[in-house]
Amino acid sequence: MLIATPQSMHFPDSLPLQSGTSIRAYDLSFETYGTLNAGKSNAVLICHALNASHHVAGVYVDDTGKVKNKSEGWWDTMIGPGKPVDTDHFFVIGVNNLGSCFGSTGPMQLNPDTNKIYGADFPVVTVQDWVDAQARLLDALGIQTLAAVMGGSLGGMQALSWTLQYPSRVRHAVVVASAPNLTAENIAFNEVARRAIVTDPDFHGGHYARHGVLPKRGLRIARMIGHITYLSDDVMNEKFGRQLQAPTLVALRTALPPEGALRLQSGKAGPAAPVGEEGGRLPERTSNPSPFKFSTQEVEFEIESYLRYQGDKFSEYFDANTYLLITRALDYFDPASAFGGDLSAALAKATAKFLLVSFTTDWRFSPVRSREIVKALLDNQCDLSYAEIDAPHGHDAFLLEDPRYLGVVRSYFQSKVAL
Amino acid sequence: MLIATPQSMHFPDSLPLQSGTSIRAYDLSFETYGTLNAGKSNAVLICHALNASHHVAGVYVDDTGKVKNKSEGWWDTMIGPGKPVDTDHFFVIGVNNLGSCFGSTGPMQLNPDTNKIYGADFPVVTVQDWVDAQARLLDALGIQTLAAVMGGSLGGMQALSWTLQYPSRVRHAVVVASAPNLTAENIAFNEVARRAIVTDPDFHGGHYARHGVLPKRGLRIARMIGHITYLSDDVMNEKFGRQLQAPTLVALRTALPPEGALRLQSGKAGPAAPVGEEGGRLPERTSNPSPFKFSTQEVEFEIESYLRYQGDKFSEYFDANTYLLITRALDYFDPASAFGGDLSAALAKATAKFLLVSFTTDWRFSPVRSREIVKALLDNQCDLSYAEIDAPHGHDAFLLEDPRYLGVVRSYFQSKVAL
């Protein structure tokens, strides 16, 4: 069993940001798994997506050595001893990005310039900025060159950006369920989520901390929208369909994992959730022969219960300003833009070898988007492997335990990345 | 030019509702176009979708006879003199559904039992209820049998339900861009929109009228979500892509029509919108060489501007309780449910002839869903025509001026419906 220990590193020098501003001093939370070899050549950096963190693999234990409940890292299926990214061979680093809310400097922390909580004053950060900060962490760890940089979704964008910002420091890039930029529809979903947060009366222009409140309504809506886009229509129909909420509430609420939050075996339902918020309000079924309650506000269908539960849970732990920042980083990422939209020209700098993986039912970052990257890399005669996995789970597939998917990554690390 | 005149009819007898309750007395707003023939055999009933109304075709004029700006009916491309549903031959009826907010009895009106505005006390209405109310309107107009009943999206569900509830009163049903029920994903989008409305602090449990406020924040979010699902990824990329909001704000804001609200020629951009709400706040571009403002709250991309504009506009005229009611009616519609999910068994009652139309890029009610209806009708040896139109516009295509689509409907009415 892999025991994870979060660490933190302070960076006293200011970091120039793509926006033209800078962040004066900052901390990065990170975890490492496995052992850095003498040549410092076996490091693998894992970049996280929207709501994940530096806690990539392993579990946490309490003071008595007991494993904490549900403390598995968000990519524990992928990373660990004997796993596809094998920590018996590789030194794996998970890092929480700047602006996040899991330990690294972000909007919930004190602005050293004002001694007030940053809130909305936290500077806008981009994928490029994150990669720059990650590079400084590697400097501090004495690692010049990564055996691989790896990530899914927004994490894949960071992996791709590494190969352009620091080409000589990356031997391999593993880009999973990602895209060379967001489509208009992707941006649209981000924008609706942001508007839900920003127009929540408890948002207070991003300075809710000063008012002692949290814009939970907006976060709930944002998360519900996110969940719809993480899942495929197929898997939603399979898991929920038009099934009505069971009166006994032995709910399917946790039947599917939120992106980056839960580990779950592909295709298996998770543990039943405890009776939740709506539980207390549920009326007894009456003699009405219809299965419906005929209510616009109560839960009728399981999918509603699932989404409400996920929204409620998320609003308890995620920071609203972080949500805005991270969705904006997604919107802004577009390496081709500086080359008139020519992705092949943009990727000409990359010297890494690549593994790209996409999932057939992912409509958020569909295989078509991965193929755009593949084509641009091929235009540059890059060494690459590409796997399009026929998986039913939509975008969330990149976090699930699909044997073909994990097999592809295992085989790539064994045959190509291994020293 | 077709001049439309809204009418209203009072129904003093209570209408039993599917929920087991009833509505005591009610009014229906409607319009008619063309002339009912002596045999009363040329009536075509048009059923509307989420946010449309009885104003299906023609224009309104003011007291001086001047055409009111943007007053075209929502299906004016389809219906009128010489149009596919030709009012020189057919007597076309548009009716506003119960629970809507455009004149028929709904949540914004007085509850005769309490003399207070209904608000959240307006009973939940279903597609079946709407069809029952429409049938009473036909009774009052002295029309026993419809030459055709026709609708798109939720309107198509009403047309389909007519053939099951009143099979002997329908000769033809034209079901466009519709589905035999909602998928889990469809319900999910409805639920997020409803939660945005219901959790708006100005919602007040649906009794916002008593508090003199409107839950506009929630309505804006609901509308933005809706818009994403009405458009195809392709058309969003074509019209907006990653295009930044132009500093001069000659915006593409009205480049695409909201469902049921605007008429627009397929493929052509609409007129430029006046400088809108965000306009006043736009900072001058500085010397920052980046094209971005690096802001999480300001508009960066055209698609954001478009969605915000649509949300703002919608929140000015649409009633929140009506939004809840109509999305619930969508959720509940499922004629197969009483037959163990067997749609063929459910449609066995239908004796009408059918035209079904779907659009290739409609991911809300995709062609697969129309084909389910086609298959079930074929299982019952129904007389049907089915057209799958290769259109780029997504679900909204059913409101646009696509010559192939309009040609199919024209030809069906000329060759099959015409007396």
Side-chain angles (χ1 to χ4, degrees):
Chain A
M1 192 171 53
L2 186 65
I3 310 293
T5 311
Q7 305 173 59
S8 186
M9 192 173 293
H10 182 68
F11 296 83
D13 295 337
S14 79
L15 182 77
L17 300 175
Q18 202 185 342
S19 63
T21 61
S22 64
I23 186 154
R24 206 175 76 175
Y26 56 97
D27 298 277
L28 291 181
S29 289
F30 67 103
E31 292 182 5
T32 68
Y33 323 98
T35 308
L36 188 62
N37 64 14
K40 298 188 172 183
S41 62
N42 68 334
V44 175
L45 177 69
I46 307 296
C47 305
H48 70 74
L50 206 153
N51 66 313
S53 73
H54 51 287
H55 183 40
V56 176
V59 292
Y60 291 146
V61 293
D62 64 19
D63 295 344
T64 68
K66 190 167 161 260
V67 173
K68 288 186 184 169
N69 193 25
K70 291 188 179 177
S71 71
E72 293 93 351
W74 57 269
W75 224 350
D76 196 57
T77 50
M78 182 64 85
I79 294 152
K83 293 188 178 170
V85 181
D86 190 345
T87 53
D88 291 338
H89 297 285
F90 293 102
F91 178 68
V92 177
I93 306 157
V95 58
N96 189 218
N97 283 327
L98 271 178
S100 181
C101 50
F102 297 113
S104 292
T105 299
M108 292 170 76
Q109 301 186 349
L110 280 186
N111 179 350
D113 289 333
T114 63
N115 256 336
K116 286 184 182 164
I117 288 176
Y118 271 112
D121 297 335
F122 196 86
V124 167
V125 283
T126 65
V127 166
Q128 287 188 46
D129 297 331
W130 287 334
V131 168
D132 284 340
Q134 290 160 7
R136 288 191 177 185
L137 175 64
L138 295 191
D139 295 343
L141 297 174
I143 297 163
Q144 174 53 33
T145 305
L146 288 167
V149 60
M150 177 172 182
S153 190
L154 176 56
M157 291 175 169
Q158 294 161 61
L160 182 60
S161 205
W162 258 99
T163 71
L164 307 177
Q165 293 176 245
Y166 299 97
S168 66
R169 295 184 75 171
V170 185
R171 291 202 294 116
H172 293 271
V174 180
V175 178
V176 182
S178 195
N181 61 24
L182 295 197
T183 62
E185 188 184 82
N186 293 145
I187 296 171
F189 279 119
N190 282 347
E191 173 67 0
V192 183
R194 280 192 297 263
R195 294 312 290 169
I197 290 170
V198 164
T199 62
D200 184 330
D202 286 335
F203 183 68
H204 293 289
H207 293 298
Y208 39 87
R210 297 178 192 170
H211 293 76
V213 291
L214 294 171
K216 287 192 181 182
R217 299 179 201 88
L219 271 171
R220 283 190 197 104
I221 299 298
R223 184 58 165 176
M224 291 170 87
I225 294 169
H227 260 280
I228 298 176
T229 70
Y230 304 152
L231 305 181
S232 70
D233 198 21
D234 284 352
V235 79
M236 267 207 193
N237 279 330
E238 188 199 320
K239 295 278 181 190
F240 304 105
R242 297 183 49 81
Q243 196 180 329
L244 299 182
Q245 189 187 39
T248 51
L249 270 182
V250 182
L252 277 169
R253 280 173 174 169
T254 56
L256 284 163
E259 187 192 59
L262 272 185
R263 185 173 72 82
L264 193 77
Q265 265 208 311
S266 161
K268 288 189 188 170
V275 173
E277 292 76 349
E278 298 89 356
R281 292 192 266 110
L282 268 189
E284 287 296 304
R285 293 293 164 103
T286 67
S287 58
N288 185 337
S290 164
F292 296 126
K293 299 170 197 139
F294 291 104
S295 165
T296 58
Q297 296 184 39
E298 287 184 274
V299 166
E300 292 272 23
F301 298 91
E302 271 299 343
I303 182 67
E304 298 175 291
S305 174
Y306 170 77
L307 287 176
R308 288 193 193 187
Y309 175 76
Q310 295 296 346
D312 287 347
K313 207 172 61 172
F314 188 69
S315 73
E316 297 293 331
Y317 75 85
F318 206 81
D319 179 55
N321 283 311
T322 291
Y323 202 91
L324 302 184
L325 288 171
I326 297 189
T327 54
R328 253 322 186 206
L330 274 161
D331 291 355
Y332 286 139
F333 182 71
D334 187 14
S337 67
F339 297 83
D342 182 344
L343 188 62
S344 300
L347 301 192
K349 277 185 238 166
T351 54
K353 297 180 171 65
F354 282 82
L355 169 64
L356 288 106
V357 182
S358 70
F359 301 93
T360 48
T361 57
D362 183 352
W363 61 277
R364 194 167 191 244
F365 290 158
S366 78
V368 171
R369 307 310 317 276
S370 283
R371 279 186 235 140
E372 289 176 34
I373 304 174
V374 167
K375 182 190 172 298
L377 291 171
L378 288 176
D379 285 346
N380 288 296
Q381 279 89 42
C382 286
D383 182 331
L384 76 86
S385 307
Y386 174 52
E388 205 164 292
I389 307 286
D390 187 8
H393 302 95
H395 188 61
D396 253 356
F398 89 86
L399 295 164
L400 298 178
E401 197 165 338
D402 183 297
R404 287 161 301 182
Y405 163 43
L406 296 181
V408 162
V409 177
R410 179 184 295 277
S411 145
Y412 188 83
F413 272 84
Q414 282 177 350
S415 64
K416 303 271 289 183
V417 188
L419 312 175
Chain B
M1 192 170 53
L2 186 64
I3 310 292
T5 310
Q7 305 173 58
S8 185
M9 192 173 294
H10 181 68
F11 295 83
D13 294 336
S14 81
L15 182 77
L17 301 175
Q18 202 186 344
S19 63
T21 60
S22 64
I23 186 153
R24 210 177 72 174
Y26 58 94
D27 297 279
L28 291 181
S29 288
F30 67 103
E31 291 183 5
T32 67
Y33 322 98
T35 309
L36 188 62
N37 62 15
K40 299 189 172 183
S41 63
N42 68 335
V44 175
L45 176 70
I46 307 295
C47 306
H48 71 75
L50 206 151
N51 66 313
S53 73
H54 51 287
H55 183 40
V56 175
V59 292
Y60 292 145
V61 292
D62 64 19
D63 294 343
T64 69
K66 190 166 161 260
V67 172
K68 289 186 185 172
N69 194 25
K70 290 187 180 177
S71 71
E72 292 94 352
W74 58 268
W75 224 350
D76 195 57
T77 50
M78 181 65 83
I79 294 152
K83 293 188 178 171
V85 181
D86 189 345
T87 53
D88 290 337
H89 297 284
F90 294 102
F91 177 67
V92 177
I93 306 157
V95 57
N96 188 217
N97 283 326
L98 271 180
S100 182
C101 51
F102 297 111
S104 292
T105 300
M108 292 169 76
Q109 302 187 348
L110 281 187
N111 180 350
D113 290 333
T114 63
N115 257 333
K116 285 184 182 163
I117 287 177
Y118 272 112
D121 297 334
F122 196 85
V124 167
V125 283
T126 66
V127 167
Q128 287 188 45
D129 297 332
W130 287 333
V131 169
D132 284 340
Q134 289 159 9
R136 288 190 177 188
L137 175 64
L138 295 192
D139 293 343
L141 296 174
I143 296 163
Q144 173 56 31
T145 305
L146 289 167
V149 58
M150 176 172 182
S153 191
L154 175 57
M157 291 175 168
Q158 293 161 62
L160 182 59
S161 205
W162 257 100
T163 70
L164 308 177
Q165 293 176 244
Y166 299 96
S168 67
R169 298 184 73 171
V170 185
R171 289 201 296 116
H172 293 272
V174 180
V175 178
V176 182
S178 196
N181 61 25
L182 294 197
T183 62
E185 189 183 81
N186 292 147
I187 296 172
F189 279 119
N190 281 348
E191 171 67 1
V192 182
R194 280 192 297 263
R195 294 312 288 169
I197 291 170
V198 164
T199 63
D200 184 329
D202 286 335
F203 183 68
H204 294 290
H207 292 298
Y208 40 87
R210 297 179 191 170
H211 293 77
V213 291
L214 294 171
K216 287 193 181 181
R217 299 180 201 87
L219 271 170
R220 283 191 198 104
I221 298 297
R223 185 58 165 177
M224 292 170 86
I225 294 170
H227 261 279
I228 299 176
T229 70
Y230 304 152
L231 304 182
S232 71
D233 199 18
D234 284 352
V235 81
M236 268 208 193
N237 279 331
E238 187 201 319
K239 294 279 181 190
F240 304 105
R242 297 182 51 80
Q243 196 180 329
L244 299 182
Q245 189 185 39
T248 51
L249 270 180
V250 182
L252 277 169
R253 279 174 176 170
T254 56
L256 286 163
E259 187 191 61
L262 271 186
R263 185 175 71 82
L264 193 77
Q265 266 209 310
S266 161
K268 287 192 187 165
V275 173
E277 292 74 352
E278 300 89 355
R281 293 191 263 110
L282 268 188
E284 286 297 304
R285 293 292 164 102
T286 67
S287 58
N288 185 337
S290 164
F292 296 126
K293 300 170 196 140
F294 291 104
S295 165
T296 58
Q297 295 183 39
E298 286 183 274
V299 166
E300 291 273 23
F301 298 91
E302 271 298 343
I303 182 66
E304 298 176 291
S305 175
Y306 171 76
L307 287 176
R308 287 192 193 188
Y309 175 76
Q310 296 296 345
D312 287 347
K313 207 173 59 172
F314 188 70
S315 73
E316 297 293 330
Y317 76 84
F318 207 81
D319 178 55
N321 283 312
T322 291
Y323 202 91
L324 303 183
L325 288 171
I326 297 191
T327 55
R328 254 319 187 210
L330 274 161
D331 291 355
Y332 287 138
F333 181 71
D334 188 13
S337 66
F339 296 83
D342 183 345
L343 188 62
S344 301
L347 301 193
K349 278 186 239 167
T351 54
K353 297 181 172 62
F354 282 83
L355 168 63
L356 288 106
V357 181
S358 70
F359 301 93
T360 49
T361 57
D362 183 352
W363 60 278
R364 193 166 193 244
F365 291 158
S366 77
V368 171
R369 306 310 316 279
S370 283
R371 281 187 234 139
E372 290 175 35
I373 303 174
V374 168
K375 182 189 172 298
L377 291 172
L378 288 177
D379 286 346
N380 289 296
Q381 279 90 44
C382 286
D383 182 331
L384 74 87
S385 307
Y386 174 52
E388 205 163 293
I389 308 286
D390 188 10
H393 303 95
H395 188 61
D396 254 355
F398 90 86
L399 295 164
L400 298 178
E401 197 165 339
D402 183 298
R404 288 162 301 182
Y405 162 45
L406 295 181
V408 161
V409 176
R410 179 185 296 276
S411 147
Y412 188 83
F413 272 83
Q414 283 178 349
S415 64
K416 303 272 287 184
V417 187
L419 313 173

